Amino acid sequence: MALLDGRTILIVENDPTIGLDLRATLFAAGATPVGPANSVESAFVLIADHTIDAAVLDIRLYKDELVFPVADTLQALRVPYVFASGRSTALMPLRHGDRPFFDKPFRAEQIVEALAELLADETSR
């Protein structure tokens, strides 16, 4: 059984190469990847159109837009998420400071493992 079998994972990432790499890795781990979205608006469209189980969020998106409105929404929906960004954690609002953070360049397998752990924690509650 793959780590993310049957899980729908949202990818919010403004670098198309990184987004496609994450998509391929998540798919190989059994997930149904959604995205990559490169803006807050496109992420909200995907959230509205899919039942999201977890998410991978870049901090700075297209046109220097910040991802935190998406993180706020996911938090309100009780959807676990991780940050994967080349930006400093200094940009991180305190309300999201407890979330896993992966500095670019990261190994996509690390993201899969963190998401699997977060999802396992959610189901054990």
Side-chain angles (χ1 to χ4, degrees):
M1 181 168 143
L3 283 175
L4 298 175
D5 270 349
R7 301 302 195 134
T8 301
I9 311 295
L10 172 66
I11 303 167
V12 183
E13 169 62 57
N14 81 339
D15 183 313
T17 303
I18 293 171
L20 292 175
D21 181 52
L22 274 170
R23 188 176 173 84
T25 302
L26 291 168
F27 183 77
T32 301
V34 175
N38 70 353
S39 68
V40 169
E41 181 181 350
S42 60
F44 282 149
V45 167
L46 293 174
I47 290 168
D49 289 347
H50 301 275
T51 300
I52 304 297
D53 295 307
V56 180
L57 308 177
D58 189 3
I59 291 177
R60 194 170 301 273
L61 305 175
Y62 181 68
K63 294 188 177 181
D64 287 332
E65 182 178 45
L66 296 176
V67 77
F68 302 119
V70 176
D72 293 338
T73 298
L74 293 171
Q75 193 163 355
L77 295 170
R78 298 183 150 190
V79 173
Y81 56 92
V82 301
F83 291 102
S85 182
R87 302 296 173 176
S88 165
T89 56
L91 289 175
M92 190 76 65
L94 288 176
R95 66 187 181 275
H96 299 296
D98 63 337
R99 299 299 171 154
F101 181 90
F102 296 90
D103 199 13
K104 290 178 183 175
F106 54 80
R107 286 185 18 258
E109 294 79 17
Q110 294 173 303
I111 304 281
V112 168
E113 291 168 10
L115 291 172
E117 188 175 308
L118 288 171
L119 288 164
D121 288 348
E122 289 290 312
T123 56
S124 67
R125 288 183 194 180

